[in-house]
Amino acid sequence: MASFPPRVNEKEIVRSRTIGELLAPAAPFDKKCGRENWTVAFAPDGSYFAWSQGHRTVKLVPWSQCLQNFLLHGTKNVTNSSSLRLPRQNSDGGQKNKPREHIIDCGDIVWSLAFGSSVPEKQSRCVNIEWHRFRFGQDQLLLATGLNNGRIKIWDVYTGKLLLNLVDHTEVVRDLTFAPDGSLILVSASRDKTLRVWDLKDDGNMMKVLRGHQNWVYSCAFSPDSSMLCSVGASKAVVAAILV
C-alpha cells in the first residue's frame, strides 16, 4: 500500500471526482463498436476529445460541449440519446470555428490515437518539393488512427474525412505520437519491432525506419524540442534516437 512522507498532509490532497461518463453504444449487428475501449486522446488545444468505442469506431467529441452536457445532465452523458447528441459537421466542412461531433469508421480494430496540429512556417524535414497534395493551414487539426492491420489512417478532424492512408507496418500499430513543434512529423510504434517516421506535410511520405528494438514496440514519445524520440517495448529497455 502506498504511503506519503511525514511532511505531506493527506487531508490536504485534492481528491479526484467524476464529472461525467461517456458511454459507448451497445454493440450493433455489424460489430463495429461495443467492445473494450483501448485508447483516448485530447487535441493539443483542448477543442476535441477522441475515443475508440471498441473495435473499429472512433468518436470525435467537441470537448467544451461535452463538459457542458455533463453540467446540465449529470455524470452520465448518454451520447446516444437524440436529445443530447451534439451537432455533426456538414459534408462540405461547415464552419471550422464551430466544432462538430463525428463518428469515424476506421475499417479495422483501433489500437492508437494521436492528434496533430500544424504550424505553417515549419518546413518539411523530408524532400522539399514544390507540389504537395495537401497544404495544411494554421487551423488544421488532424487525427491519426493506428490499426490492427498495420495501417495508419489520417483524418481531418473538422470534416471527418479520410486524408491519408499510410501503409508500411506489417503488424499492429500500438502507439502514435506527433512531434510537438507543429511540423506534423508522426512516429508510429508497432508489433513488427520497428518505429516509422512519417512527414505528413510531404503527403505522408515515410522518412525513416527505426529498428533498435528486438521485440514488440509498445509506446513512444518525443522530447519537448522534438529532437529526440524515446520508445519502450517487450524487450524491457528504453531506446532513444536523435531525429535531427
Side-chain angles (χ1 to χ4, degrees):
M1 183 176 179
S3 61
F4 295 96
R7 66 179 182 277
V8 177
N9 186 349
E10 294 185 38
K11 295 181 180 180
E12 295 180 355
I13 297 177
V14 178
R15 303 291 181 180
S16 63
R17 64 185 181 89
T18 301
I19 62 169
E21 183 178 3
L22 295 172
L23 302 177
F29 180 74
D30 57 14
K31 304 296 183 184
K32 291 182 180 180
C33 61
R35 301 186 183 182
E36 293 180 357
N37 293 188
W38 287 342
T39 183
V40 294
F42 275 103
D45 61 358
S47 60
Y48 272 92
F49 175 74
W51 60 302
S52 166
Q53 292 192 308
H55 199 47
R56 55 189 274 185
T57 301
V58 172
K59 189 163 190 174
L60 279 165
V61 181
W63 187 241
S64 62
Q65 296 178 37
C66 186
L67 286 177
Q68 185 177 9
N69 277 349
F70 288 151
L71 296 176
L72 291 175
H73 304 285
T75 59
K76 295 285 186 180
N77 189 350
V78 188
T79 55
N80 300 319
S81 170
S82 59
S83 63
L84 297 181
R85 184 167 295 170
L86 301 173
R88 295 191 185 176
Q89 191 82 6
N90 296 328
S91 59
D92 61 356
Q95 297 180 359
K96 291 188 176 182
N97 61 347
K98 293 184 178 180
R100 300 290 190 270
E101 172 190 304
H102 300 290
I103 296 178
I104 297 173
D105 183 355
C106 296
D108 204 344
I109 298 173
V110 180
W111 283 80
S112 50
L113 299 171
F115 281 97
S117 57
S118 66
V119 176
E121 59 270 18
K122 274 285 182 183
Q123 296 298 318
S124 167
R125 300 186 192 180
C126 197
V127 180
N128 188 14
I129 57 178
E130 293 296 326
W131 183 87
H132 289 281
R133 182 181 176 188
F134 300 105
R135 293 192 177 277
F136 298 112
Q138 188 172 5
D139 60 347
Q140 191 74 42
L141 185 60
L142 305 178
L143 178 71
T145 56
L147 307 181
N148 191 70
N149 59 11
R151 296 193 175 197
I152 303 165
K153 293 187 176 181
I154 310 297
W155 308 85
D156 185 322
V157 171
Y158 299 120
T159 65
K161 293 181 178 179
L162 179 64
L163 299 179
L164 294 168
N165 193 357
L166 309 181
V167 182
D168 207 71
H169 282 297
T170 58
E171 295 287 346
V172 173
V173 179
R174 285 295 305 268
D175 196 21
L176 295 165
T177 184
F178 278 95
D181 63 359
S183 61
L184 287 183
I185 298 298
L186 174 69
V187 175
S188 54
S190 173
R191 282 185 181 177
D192 65 10
K193 306 177 186 179
T194 69
L195 297 106
R196 296 173 191 263
V197 185
W198 314 83
D199 187 350
L200 300 193
K201 285 194 174 181
D202 193 29
D203 297 334
N205 285 328
M206 189 174 62
M207 299 167 55
K208 296 179 182 179
V209 180
L210 306 177
R211 305 182 184 274
H213 288 270
Q214 302 302 312
N215 213 318
W216 294 354
V217 189
Y218 290 152
S219 182
C220 55
F222 273 100
S223 61
D225 64 357
S226 303
S227 65
M228 182 172 292
L229 179 78
C230 289
S231 56
V232 294
S235 59
K236 302 179 182 179
V238 177
V239 177
I242 297 176
L243 297 183
V244 294

